[in-house]
Amino acid sequence: MSINRVIISGNLTRDPELRSTASGLPVLGFGVAVNDRRKNQQTGEWEDYPNFIDCTMFGARAESLNRYLNKGTKVSIEGKLRWSQWERDGQKRSKIEVIVDELEFMSGRGGSPSCPPSPAVAEASQAVYDEDIPF
């Protein structure tokens, strides 16, 4: 048995990009910066090292949440890892991304809770899970 679950929290590194598949399924792409703390062997001080994670969300929730996400938004994400491979200009490329199942807004940059302006986000978070998601 294998388990493919990941939970991360961090800030969006760029504004999300909403597009659609050929069949019309909304796809939201964005990046999240997640810090890793390591001890600097020369100074003995703890330092933050950022990891930049690509995230993808599908369906009605992706379309709805797009209105409330922007660069710097602090979020918590639960999902699964997906590895993809392609070829560009004769070179093989690959990446690992998080396919987002759940997204929760966390405190804003100023320390106050980041409250979306309408109940649409709550409704979007309760979206139907039986959509066709390409894997």
Side-chain angles (χ1 to χ4, degrees):
M1 175 161 108
S2 62
I3 299 172
N4 183 1
R5 296 303 302 159
V6 63
I7 298 172
I8 61 172
S9 66
N11 297 326
L12 266 64
T13 60
R14 62 184 183 273
D15 287 337
E17 178 185 328
L18 183 64
R19 55 192 192 283
S20 296
T21 63
S23 65
L25 180 68
V27 179
L28 188 65
F30 55 92
V32 176
V34 179
N35 283 339
D36 184 20
R37 291 188 60 85
R38 296 184 219 152
K39 196 171 195 175
N40 184 316
Q41 296 302 318
Q42 292 152 350
T43 66
E45 298 291 321
W46 287 93
E47 297 177 352
D48 287 333
Y49 291 87
N51 293 296
F52 301 100
I53 311 296
D54 289 330
C55 299
T56 303
M57 179 182 263
F58 295 94
R61 286 187 307 158
E63 196 167 35
S64 296
L65 288 173
N66 180 50
R67 292 179 284 205
Y68 305 105
L69 295 171
N70 53 41
K71 182 178 179 177
T73 303
K74 188 164 185 67
V75 294
S76 176
I77 291 173
E78 183 176 343
K80 56 189 155 285
L81 296 176
R82 180 174 70 179
W83 180 75
S84 55
Q85 182 178 352
W86 68 97
E87 192 171 315
R88 180 185 295 160
D89 301 328
Q91 291 189 339
K92 287 189 177 183
R93 308 229 180 214
S94 64
K95 74 173 182 174
I96 294 179
E97 66 185 324
V98 174
I99 303 301
V100 178
D101 292 327
E102 299 292 331
L103 184 144
E104 182 178 326
F105 290 88
M106 298 181 72
S107 62
R109 285 186 232 162
S112 63
S114 142
C115 298
S118 81
V121 170
E123 292 171 15
S125 296
Q126 299 295 321
V128 179
Y129 290 97
D130 61 333
E131 297 178 34
D132 292 327
I133 299 176
F135 288 103

